[in-house]
Amino acid sequence: MAKKPDVKEIKRFEKDLELCMKCGFCTFWCPVYQEELVESSVARGKNMMIRALASGELDYTKEYAERLNKCTLCMACTANCPTCACRRELHKNLRREPMLSLQDWSRILTEARTLGVERLDISGGEPTLYKYLTNLIQIGRGYGWHVGLNTNGSLIDQAYAESLLQAGVNTICVSLYSPNPVVHDAMRRSQNLWHKATNAIRILRAMERRFPDFRVVTQTILCRENYESFAELLELHYKLGSHAIGIAYLEGDFEREYLLDEDHILNFKANVIPKLLEFSNKLSTGSRKHARRIFHDLFSEDILTRSEWACGNYRPKYRSLPRCRRPTEFAIVLANGDVHPCNMVEYTHEPVMGNVFTQCLTEIWNSKKWNDFRITLFEGCSFCPINLYTGITL
C-alpha cells in the first residue's frame, strides 16, 4: 500500500525546484542516465518526480523510492547546472568577486603578446557597456593585433562609433537575426533593438570612408524563428552595407525549442535555399561562387544526418572527426578572471582552466589541465557547432 507522503519538507524547497528550466544539460553529465537513457534517472526527471509528489499526482511507493534514490551522488549535475540552487549561490559569490581592472587587462594582454597572440576579439555580454573599451582596443592595436568587436549595436551612435574607430578597432560585428523588427527583438529579448542595430550598421558603414582600415560586418543564427525569412534577412544585411555575414547554427538549445526539426530542414532545403541562390546573383563573381557553395552546404546531409542536425548533435561521438583545434589556439578570459578553453564551456562554466587573479596566463595556458583538455575535450563538444560556423562575403 502506498504511503501518503508528508510534503512539508518539500514545500521548503519549492523555489529551488522551480529553478529548473528543463534545459537537459544534466543529461550530459549523469552517469546513470548515460547507461539507462531514462528520464527519471537524471536530475531533471527527479525534479519532476518530486514536484508530482508534492502536488499529490504521485504516491510514495517502493518503486518511486528506488527510482528517486538511483543516484551515484557524484554531484556532476549540480556542478554543471546553470540554474540550480547550489549553482545560483556560486554565481552570487562570483558577483561578489573583484572584476579585472584596466591595469589587470593590460597585464594579461601584455602576457598574451608573449604567447604569440595575433588577434583580440572583444565580446560579451554587451562589451560596449564596458567603460574602458576604447583603452582595450588601443592596447591591442598597439601590439599590432587585429582587434574585433562583437556587439548588438544598442549603444552605437555617431559619437560612440567615432571613439571606437579613433581607438583603432579593425572590425565591428553587429548581430542582426531577422528582417522583421518584432521577431529580432523577441529573439534578443530587448525592445527596439532591431532599429538600434540597423542604425548602428548604417552609421559604421558611412564612417568607412574616413577610416579605410575599418570594416563593418554582421552575423546571424539559423533557427525556427528566422529560417523561413533567411533569404530576406541576408538581403537586409547586404542592403545595410555589411562586408560579410557570419552564419551560425544554434547552440545551447538543449530542449530543442528553437532548433529546426527534420520537417523544417526539408522545408528550408526545398523553399529557402533556392531563394538564397537567387540572392547570390547580386554578389560579385568571386563572392557569388563562394556563397552558392555555402548555401548548398547549409544543413547538408553530406556533413550530418538530418536527425543529427535536428538534435543539435554537431559533433557525434561515433564519427571519426578531426580533433577540434579551438582549445589549442583560443582562450576566453572573463571579467572575473576565469579562463575558459573554448566556447561551449561558456554554457557549463566548467571546466575552468584557471584564474588570472591567482595565476599568470602563461601558467594556465601551459598547464597539465589544459593540455589534458586539448586531448580529451568534454561531453559538451557533441553539441558545439563552432567548427561548422560559416559565412559569406558581400
Side-chain angles (χ1 to χ4, degrees):
M1 182 176 177
K3 294 181 181 178
K4 187 69 177 177
D6 181 354
V7 297
K8 291 180 181 178
E9 287 299 308
I10 297 177
K11 294 289 184 183
R12 290 177 51 203
F13 300 101
E14 274 188 329
K15 289 186 178 179
D16 290 336
L17 291 170
E18 291 169 1
L19 286 170
C20 177
M21 60 183 181
K22 304 179 182 64
C23 68
F25 211 83
C26 51
T27 62
F28 305 150
W29 304 96
C30 177
V32 180
Y33 180 85
Q34 292 297 324
E35 287 294 321
E36 297 189 342
L37 298 178
V38 176
E39 181 70 13
S40 57
S41 300
V42 77
R44 178 176 62 183
K46 294 183 191 300
N47 179 293
M48 298 304 295
M49 288 175 64
I50 295 170
R51 292 170 76 168
L53 183 69
S55 66
E57 295 175 49
L58 288 180
D59 290 322
Y60 190 82
T61 64
K62 179 181 178 182
E63 292 77 14
Y64 179 100
E66 287 176 352
R67 176 52 62 187
L68 189 67
N69 291 320
K70 200 165 191 179
C71 176
T72 67
L73 299 179
C74 67
M75 300 298 286
C77 56
T78 297
N80 294 286
C81 176
T83 58
C84 74
C86 297
R87 199 71 194 173
R88 182 177 58 175
E89 188 60 32
L90 172 62
H91 285 294
K92 284 182 180 178
N93 292 336
L94 287 177
R95 286 195 291 270
R96 290 193 288 266
E97 288 180 356
M99 297 290 106
L100 294 172
S101 66
L102 179 60
Q103 185 177 6
D104 292 323
W105 279 116
S106 179
R107 169 180 56 81
I108 294 162
L109 295 179
T110 299
E111 192 174 355
R113 183 190 187 192
T114 66
L115 287 170
V117 166
E118 297 178 350
R119 181 184 178 101
L120 172 64
D121 286 299
I122 306 172
S123 192
E126 178 46 48
T128 56
L129 292 168
Y130 181 55
K131 65 179 179 179
Y132 296 118
L133 177 57
T134 56
N135 300 85
L136 292 184
I137 294 170
Q138 289 169 339
I139 293 171
R141 292 297 295 134
Y143 290 151
W145 296 341
H146 178 104
V147 178
L149 174 66
N150 300 316
T151 176
N152 62 22
S154 59
L155 297 179
I156 295 181
D157 56 18
Q158 190 72 35
Y160 192 42
E162 181 81 26
S163 68
L164 294 172
L165 271 63
Q166 288 285 0
V169 66
N170 297 101
T171 57
I172 295 179
C173 182
V174 182
S175 299
L176 187 59
Y177 290 173
S178 174
N180 184 324
V182 175
V183 174
H184 174 84
D185 292 354
M187 291 175 69
R188 300 310 304 264
R189 295 175 173 82
S190 180
Q191 290 186 344
N192 204 36
L193 187 55
W194 186 92
H195 292 286
K196 293 176 181 178
T198 53
N199 189 52
I201 297 168
R202 292 188 187 96
I203 290 172
L204 294 167
R205 174 67 182 191
M207 296 182 73
E208 288 181 2
R209 300 172 193 147
R210 293 175 43 226
F211 296 88
D213 294 329
F214 167 75
R215 290 291 180 269
V216 58
V217 297
T218 48
Q219 74 90 19
T220 190
I221 57 174
L222 255 173
C223 59
R224 289 189 192 186
E225 295 99 320
N226 70 358
Y227 85 95
E228 291 183 295
S229 62
F230 205 67
E232 292 82 358
L233 173 59
L234 298 198
E235 175 108 22
L236 175 60
H237 285 244
Y238 174 76
K239 288 180 177 179
L240 288 170
S242 172
H243 286 274
I245 306 170
I247 302 172
Y249 295 103
L250 190 61
E251 62 185 48
D253 181 19
F254 307 116
E255 275 291 286
R256 304 175 196 169
E257 291 184 56
Y258 307 108
L259 285 164
L260 272 65
D261 64 24
E262 293 192 40
D263 288 338
H264 294 138
I265 292 170
L266 289 173
N267 184 21
F268 181 83
K269 290 182 175 181
N271 299 307
V272 179
I273 287 182
K275 294 179 182 178
L276 292 171
L277 295 174
E278 183 180 348
F279 161 73
S280 70
N281 292 326
K282 298 184 178 183
L283 307 179
S284 66
T285 303
S287 295
R288 184 188 314 130
K289 184 177 180 180
H290 173 73
R292 292 176 75 86
R293 178 177 61 80
I294 295 300
F295 294 152
H296 279 299
D297 283 346
L298 293 174
F299 296 107
S300 169
E301 292 184 45
D302 292 332
I303 299 172
L304 296 171
T305 67
R306 199 183 315 146
S307 63
E308 286 165 349
W309 285 117
C311 292
N313 188 6
Y314 301 114
R315 196 175 175 85
K317 293 180 181 179
Y318 72 90
R319 289 179 180 261
S320 179
L321 298 171
R323 184 170 299 281
C324 179
R325 295 190 55 80
R326 201 70 170 168
T328 67
E329 55 192 25
F330 172 88
I332 299 175
V333 181
L334 303 187
N336 71 344
D338 282 349
V339 181
H340 290 181
C342 66
N343 306 74
M344 203 61 189
V345 174
E346 291 185 86
Y347 291 92
T348 63
H349 308 286
E350 294 289 347
V352 175
M353 296 294 106
N355 188 288
V356 290
F357 274 121
T358 58
Q359 300 168 275
C360 68
L361 185 60
T362 303
E363 179 185 354
I364 297 170
W365 179 259
N366 293 322
S367 66
K368 182 180 185 302
K369 184 175 184 179
W370 202 324
N371 284 329
D372 288 345
F373 182 89
R374 291 176 179 122
I375 296 170
T376 61
L377 302 177
F378 81 129
E379 290 295 321
C381 295
S382 296
F383 300 90
C384 177
I386 194 67
N387 289 305
L388 299 172
Y389 186 87
T390 189
I392 63 172
T393 55
L394 300 175

